[in-house]
Amino acid sequence: MSGAVPVTPSSPPPPRPNAWRSQSFRWLWGSTAVSTFGAEIGELALPLLAVITLAAEPAEVAALRTAQFLPFVLATLPFGLLVDRVRRRPLLIGADGGRFLLVALIPLTVWADFASIPVLCVLVFLVGTLTVLSQVAAFAFTPHVVGADDLPDANARISATEAAAEIGGRGIAGLAVQFLGAPVTMLANAMGYLASALAMSRVGNDEPRAAGRPDSAQGGSAAVAEIKEGLRIALGNRYLRALLGEATTYNLFNEIFMIGLLLYAVRTLGLSPATLGLVFVAGGVGSFLGAWFGTRWTGRWGYGRVLTVTLTLGNTVPLLAVLGNTAGSWAALLLGAVFLVVGLGIGVANSHAITVRQLATPSQLLGRVNSAYRLISWGAIPVGASLAGVVAAAFGAWSAVVVGGLGVAAATLWVVFSPVPRLNRVQDAAG
């Protein structure tokens, strides 16, 4: 009589990635949520303060925007090196505290009858400098908090939250500017940074000191060598290079598009701040849906394919905004629909691209590679802002909308003709 065949119990399936299990991540998420909410309020309230309160001309609006993003050219590489050498959490807390104080000064200058475009340019330049520090540090800090397995889930949650903050932030900004005025609205921007600093202080403080190179104390030559290493990887890695080219082209032309659209919507279409806020809310709704549900599509269609298709969608739809020139009273509805679809595509693509970048970068180089990436991609923003002022002043605001929309659509080609669409799993980008 034969014996019974032993049954080997099947191993339980691995737990589904869930960054929410980490208390530190929950505090990190909370910090991101409140700072982004405040920043989105300021993103609409600041240019409206310039256009409505200070009656700024197109060139002055462009100058303000240039000052806001010029630190991404000047400070990104040094901050990337700093982030790889020290703990990131104190940097994040300090950056939020500093931004709270600086943004709070903006309405005070208005009420003291001291506000002018040059004064605002100085303040937003300093705020932008701290924003560079915060973003570079956060990019390197998040993988430490959640680990590689939960990183895609963490990025998806953060991206969805940022989109939700955009929904509420810009909607509230439009209403608040209309009924309370732009200076009062800017205070909400400041309070968001204060709340973010308090939340970040609750994140677990067991972060190890980031390891710098042994010869880093030898002087400037070692620092230059480390910075060059970050640039080399950002430009040399086939995945990072494609995403960097797309992001740089997008940022350049999207700035032309958005400044032209803002000037045209306020001064030609006569859209109120509240209506503009609702248009941006539609974009936030799309971004939230895309970021929240995007990870569910990748298992079926492949990570790179989903990233490429949604990026193409988000970058091409702005071309439909040119119809707003003839839409008359339907312009606001058309723009809202355009921003909804744009948000949906970009919401998926952005969270996917961030994870690819983090996994394609050696962990000890996250600060430097990300700073090199941001230097090039975000450095295009002040260039685009300056070009927007030139185009709008010479040919009209609507010409800036058309030029910007065409350039944003062309940005996708960097990714389409790259290895990114062939990524089946995001883990394949590592190594």
Side-chain angles (χ1 to χ4, degrees), residues 23-182:
Q23 184 181 46
S24 287
F25 173 75
R26 294 196 295 270
W27 282 113
L28 173 65
W29 170 86
S31 174
T32 301
V34 292
S35 66
T36 305
F37 182 79
E40 290 297 339
I41 291 176
E43 190 71 13
L44 183 59
L46 180 63
L48 289 177
L49 186 150
V51 172
I52 298 173
T53 306
L54 301 180
E57 296 297 325
E60 292 178 313
V61 176
L64 184 63
R65 190 71 172 172
T66 300
Q68 186 177 358
F69 287 95
L70 189 59
F72 285 89
V73 177
L74 302 178
T76 298
L77 290 180
F79 283 159
L81 183 60
L82 175 66
V83 163
D84 279 344
R85 289 180 171 179
V86 302
R87 294 184 177 91
R88 288 78 181 246
R89 192 177 74 111
L91 296 179
L92 291 165
I93 295 172
D96 280 335
R99 288 188 290 178
F100 160 68
L101 295 174
L102 290 167
V103 174
L105 286 176
I106 293 177
L108 294 180
T109 62
V110 175
W111 296 327
D113 200 24
F114 184 68
S116 65
I117 294 300
V119 169
L120 290 185
C121 284
V122 171
L123 289 175
V124 300
F125 176 85
L126 296 174
V127 172
T129 301
L130 293 178
T131 297
V132 173
L133 177 60
S134 177
Q135 292 183 355
V136 172
F139 182 88
F141 187 55
T142 303
H144 162 74
V145 173
V146 299
D149 291 340
D150 288 334
L151 190 57
D153 181 64
N155 285 327
R157 289 176 185 271
I158 290 174
S159 296
T161 302
E162 290 174 343
E166 181 180 343
I167 297 171
R170 296 199 184 184
I172 289 175
L175 293 171
V177 169
Q178 182 158 344
F179 295 107
L180 300 176

Side-chain angles (χ1 to χ4, degrees), residues 234-235 238-253 307-308 311-312 315 373 376 407-421:
L235 295 173
R238 55 182 181 165
Y239 301 112
L240 295 178
R241 184 172 57 246
L243 294 173
L244 176 57
E246 187 278 333
T248 304
T249 307
Y250 175 91
N251 286 341
L252 176 71
F253 286 98
L307 191 160
T308 304
L311 187 68
T312 303
N315 286 359
Y373 189 100
I376 299 171
V408 167
T412 314
L413 297 177
W414 283 95
V415 172
V416 170
F417 297 107
S418 79
V420 172

Side-chain angles (χ1 to χ4, degrees), residues 211-300:
R213 285 175 175 255
D215 60 353
S216 61
Q218 293 180 1
S221 59
V224 170
E226 292 183 55
I227 289 173
K228 285 183 177 179
E229 187 174 15
L231 284 166
R232 179 181 59 80
I233 293 177
L235 295 173
N237 183 281
R238 55 182 181 165
Y239 301 112
L240 295 178
R241 184 172 57 246
L243 294 173
L244 176 57
E246 187 278 333
T248 304
T249 307
Y250 175 91
N251 286 341
L252 176 71
F253 286 98
N254 185 63
E255 199 65 20
I256 299 174
F257 175 84
M258 291 300 298
I259 289 178
L261 183 63
L262 178 67
L263 291 168
Y264 189 84
V266 172
R267 293 181 173 167
T268 302
L269 297 179
L271 298 184
S272 68
T275 302
L276 272 177
L278 292 176
V279 169
F280 288 120
V281 163
V285 170
S287 296
F288 174 78
L289 294 175
W292 191 259
F293 293 105
T295 54
R296 306 183 185 185
W297 301 336
T298 56
R300 182 172 184 179

